[in-house]
Structures are given as structure tokens and as C-alpha cells.
Amino acid sequence: MSIGEMLAATVPMARTLNLEFVETTPERAVVVLPDQGDYHNHVGGPHAGAMFTLGESASGAIVLAAFGAELSRAVPLAVRADIAYKKLAMGTVKATATIGRPVADVVAELDAGQRPEFPVAIAITREDGAVTGEMTVVWTLRPNDPK
């Protein structure tokens, strides 16, 4: 099962919005929100909540791609998020996520018994390439309880 298929199967909101997981690697995740009238706002574009979910889902996809090998000993959790809506989004929108710290550094902190935090930056774009939103989600890897 791909990361996109896994997220669609286990995260009902991703499935509800019909998110398309185009690319999921440890370096980059790309997720598309198709243009769907049921999720439009008052001006006919994707609702801010749908765009937030799109960005958060892209960040989750890259986290799973980058840290999937650590899932037996730690749970990835979003700690906080910030989003800025820059331009009017219309039609299909795409979120592209990148991790802001070297994966090896995050794993080294986990190995040292710490609970590492790391940012994931997300750019949300229209089909014409214009950036309509910028988002950062800070994630942690919470070590599993040894009990």
C-alpha cells in the first residue's frame, strides 16, 4: 500500500476531500485537492478549511515517507500549524511539502532518547503556478511508551 493509499484509508478527512497523493518521498510530497463545488467558499474557490487539510495532509505524507522506518518506536504527531492565505485560490490546488531539517538529525535526537521536533513547509499553488497559500506544520516523533 502506498503512503497516499494508507492516508486515504486511515484518515477519513483525506478521503472525504478526495485528495490525490501525487508524490510521496522523504524529500517532497505533492497532494492535489480537485475542484469540487461541495468544498467551495463564498467566492467559488476551495474553502480555507479544505486548503488547510490539503496542506496538513501533504505534511503528513512527507513525514511518513521520511520516518516510516521509525514507526515501530515513535508516533508522528503534529504539534502546531500556521497558514497564510496569499492569493485567491480557484479551481484545483496543489500542496507541495518539504521537511525543514535533515532526517538524520531528527533520527539522531530520537536515538538519544529525545522527542525531536521539525518543521514541514508547504506551498499551496493554483494550476497557473501562483502561490495561494504558505503553511508550516511542526511535527514531533513521540517515542512509544517502553512499558
Side-chain angles (χ1 to χ4, degrees):
M1 184 181 285
S2 73
I3 289 173
E5 291 168 336
M6 183 177 70
L7 283 170
T10 59
V11 180
M13 194 62 168
R15 194 170 52 249
T16 296
L17 290 177
N18 301 305
L19 298 181
E20 299 168 7
F21 294 83
V22 177
E23 179 182 342
T24 52
T25 70
E27 291 77 38
R28 187 170 103 132
V30 179
V31 182
V32 172
L33 173 65
D35 187 19
Q36 303 167 86
D38 285 345
Y39 307 111
H40 281 178
N41 59 21
H42 61 290
V43 294
H47 188 276
M51 291 197 315
F52 182 94
T53 300
L54 169 67
E56 195 276 341
S57 296
S59 77
I62 197 169
V63 167
L64 289 175
F67 300 106
E70 310 309 323
L71 294 181
S72 64
R73 65 185 181 132
V75 176
L77 297 169
V79 175
R80 62 186 170 277
D82 181 55
I83 190 165
Y85 301 100
K86 301 289 192 176
K87 291 185 178 184
L88 185 61
M90 298 297 281
T92 297
V93 289
K94 174 175 68 175
T96 302
T98 55
I99 291 181
R101 287 186 60 202
V103 171
D105 291 354
V106 174
V107 172
E109 286 184 19
L110 186 63
D111 289 342
Q114 299 172 16
R115 184 175 169 166
E117 288 190 2
F118 53 93
V120 176
I122 304 103
I124 301 172
T125 56
R126 301 187 298 225
E127 288 181 302
D128 67 2
V131 175
T132 64
E134 294 174 338
M135 185 173 182
T136 301
V137 179
V138 175
W139 286 82
T140 188
L141 295 179
R142 185 190 74 199
N144 293 337
D145 188 0
K147 297 177 189 173

